[in-house]
Amino acid sequence: MAFPKPVRALALVSALLFFYLVFQIFSSSPSIQKPKGVTDDPTRDPNLDPTGEPEGPLWRADDYAPDNPNSPRINATLLSLVRNSELGGMIQSMRDLERTWNSRFNYPWTFFNDEPFTEEFKKRTQAETKAKCFYETIPNDHWAVPSWINNDLFQESADILKEQDVQYSNLMSYHQMCRWNSGMFYKHPALAHTRYYWRVEPKVHFFCDVDYDVFRYMEDNNKTYGFTINLYDSPQSIPTLWPETMKFLAAHPEYIHGNNAMNWLKDSARRPEHNEKANGYSTCHFWSNFEIADMEFWRSQAYEDYFNHLDRAGGFFYERWGDAPVHSIALGLFEDASKIHWFRDIGYQHIPYFNCPNSPKCKGCVTGRFTDGEAFLQKEDCRPNWFKYVGMG
């Protein structure tokens, strides 16, 4: 059936407008100037150089007693999504972070689980800290598989991803976890009046004494997000994440920040095969098992609209979209890149990767070591791209 000329004309104008918006996003989006801290040799690990504390005034551990109602502590928490069965690994992580930092500042711990915590879990974790501990169950409507996800299609997709060696692709609970970490955790009623969080997972290590209040540092310096490790993702796990992002940006070009990190997100020079398989995305992301962040960013209209778009697209289940690339793309597009901070002075390990500074405050890790795994893992480091396009601030 032939359409009337006015209808055909309107369709043509709509198509041209869509391609014009996409063109504008990539051609006229302001690129950031070479910022302070950008190195001429981004491949050299700056952790080999002596590492001190961040610049500027820092809050020291005075009057931070856990029972002091007038302490300098701000509205922040240490946050963990953890199962009862992971108690041993959680205690290991708590001991490291309490020894290196929180025993001085006594910020509360907030634990989340999709089922109630056992009394043993509560008793043993509270015994590791003088700070208050809170134990929260995730509401079913935050954790359940959305009604628009087709289970048969999920199973078929999981089988395909498994054939491509995408880890955890056949575990529904892993997909649920990624979705919750991406767009649900900060909506929990227990965090309604909390602004900053430090994410801590079981079986991680902290190596360096940190003698200042990191949450105060974030607030005083207007930082939105802090990371330690910056990696490439598996492109097979996210083939449509970037195309869906482009659809969203075509509809909402107003959300793109003028001082964005688009070049970091689009780079194709260092790992061209990743960019190709991910359909235009470098796959670079902040490894979000460590993140110190301001939840006001996740609560923003831009991020809420972006998450809802991705959620409806189904990629948290039909592919394996993780919270790390989702968080990282949103930050790279919608936030001022100068508000993203590399905590180079916080020694950290989540197997198999490290952030190990050259500092007398660190012990237990090898200065400048990125991984103690197989040699091929060295190429997974995307920090050089971050240093190249954004800097080390």
Side-chain angles (χ1 to χ4, degrees):
M1 182 180 73
F3 291 99
K5 287 185 178 180
V7 175
R8 283 180 285 169
L10 181 59
L12 177 61
V13 169
S14 298
L16 290 173
L17 179 60
F18 172 81
F19 289 112
Y20 172 76
L21 286 171
V22 172
F23 174 78
Q24 288 297 309
I25 287 168
F26 286 102
S27 64
S28 63
S29 176
S31 59
I32 56 178
Q33 300 297 313
K34 184 174 181 179
K36 179 182 178 182
V38 168
T39 175
D40 292 327
D41 182 10
T43 61
R44 184 183 184 278
D45 194 335
N47 273 331
L48 295 171
D49 301 324
T51 299
E53 295 175 333
E55 296 178 357
L58 299 172
W59 290 74
R60 303 300 177 179
D62 298 323
D63 302 321
Y64 275 87
D67 56 353
N68 179 8
N70 299 313
S71 80
R73 275 187 299 274
I74 62 172
N75 200 6
T77 189
L78 301 167
L79 186 152
S80 296
L81 174 64
V82 56
R83 301 183 184 93
N84 288 305
S85 59
E86 296 174 302
L87 175 58
M90 194 69 244
I91 286 176
Q92 171 198 293
S93 300
M94 290 184 73
R95 286 180 179 172
D96 267 19
L97 191 52
E98 287 288 328
R99 171 179 53 81
T100 57
W101 184 71
N102 200 45
S103 61
R104 304 173 183 85
F105 298 97
N106 295 297
Y107 275 94
W109 289 81
T110 306
F111 300 98
F112 291 96
N113 194 348
D114 64 320
E115 59 185 33
F117 284 104
T118 64
E119 290 305 312
E120 180 189 13
F121 187 99
K122 296 177 183 179
K123 180 179 178 180
R124 291 184 62 187
T125 49
Q126 183 62 79
E128 296 298 326
T129 178
K130 302 188 298 293
K132 292 181 180 179
C133 291
F134 300 93
Y135 304 90
E136 306 293 342
T137 303
I138 299 170
N140 185 62
D141 61 334
H142 285 189
W143 190 260
V145 179
S147 60
W148 56 86
I149 297 302
N150 182 295
N151 189 63
D152 291 337
L153 182 55
F154 166 77
Q155 294 295 339
E156 292 175 13
S157 302
D159 290 341
I160 293 171
L161 292 172
K162 189 175 181 180
E163 290 175 1
Q164 296 175 338
D165 296 323
V166 176
Q167 282 187 311
Y168 315 121
S169 59
N170 61 333
L171 296 178
M172 178 63 83
S173 61
Y174 191 86
H175 294 263
Q176 291 170 284
M177 176 193 70
C178 290
R179 178 177 180 264
W180 186 81
N181 278 325
S182 294
M184 291 293 171
F185 79 93
Y186 53 88
K187 298 173 183 174
H188 194 286
L191 297 177
H193 303 293
T194 303
R195 180 165 179 178
Y196 296 93
Y197 69 97
W198 182 337
R199 178 170 160 181
V200 185
E201 293 198 353
K203 294 185 178 180
V204 300
H205 287 289
F206 297 92
F207 302 106
C208 308
D209 291 333
V210 179
D211 300 321
Y212 62 93
D213 184 339
V214 298
F215 293 124
R216 279 280 188 177
Y217 172 79
M218 295 284 288
E219 182 181 61
D220 292 347
N221 292 275
N222 197 24
K223 298 294 184 181
T224 296
Y225 191 85
F227 71 96
T228 52
I229 296 170
N230 189 323
L231 299 174
Y232 287 92
D233 206 350
S234 163
Q236 294 89 342
S237 68
I238 50 172
T240 67
L241 177 57
W242 191 249
E244 285 296 336
T245 298
M246 291 301 95
K247 290 180 186 177
F248 178 78
L249 293 184
H252 294 286
E254 72 277 10
Y255 287 152
I256 302 175
H257 197 283
N259 190 36
N260 60 63
M262 181 74 83
N263 290 332
W264 172 68
L265 294 172
K266 294 196 306 174
D267 180 80
S268 60
R270 292 190 74 234
R271 302 288 294 275
E273 73 285 1
H274 273 52
N275 183 286
E276 181 179 357
K277 291 177 182 177
N279 293 297
Y281 172 35
S282 68
T283 77
C284 287
H285 64 279
F286 309 117
W287 213 22
S288 58
N289 47 68
F290 175 108
E291 58 184 9
I292 301 174
D294 181 350
M295 282 186 278
E296 291 306 297
F297 179 80
W298 311 131
R299 293 164 176 154
S300 69
Q301 193 64 54
Y303 186 77
E304 183 67 11
D305 289 348
Y306 179 57
F307 172 75
N308 287 336
H309 175 90
L310 297 182
D311 201 23
R312 281 288 175 177
F316 289 111
F317 295 93
Y318 302 142
E319 296 178 12
R320 198 208 63 188
W321 295 354
D323 52 278
V326 170
H327 281 184
S328 301
I329 290 174
L331 287 159
L333 294 174
F334 311 142
E335 186 52 286
D336 183 337
S338 69
K339 293 184 177 182
I340 300 172
H341 178 69
W342 176 39
F343 277 103
R344 63 185 298 174
D345 57 317
I346 298 181
Y348 178 72
Q349 180 200 24
H350 183 297
I351 293 173
Y353 301 111
F354 291 82
N355 184 71
C356 190
N358 180 359
S359 170
K361 293 185 177 184
C362 303
K363 59 183 179 181
C365 64
V366 177
T367 297
R369 171 181 280 175
F370 172 67
T371 180
D372 58 359
E374 298 293 334
F376 71 86
L377 293 175
Q378 292 289 345
K379 66 181 180 181
E380 301 304 324
D381 186 5
C382 195
R383 290 175 308 159
N385 271 7
W386 184 257
F387 301 152
K388 174 183 177 181
Y389 293 120
V390 180
M392 301 180 194

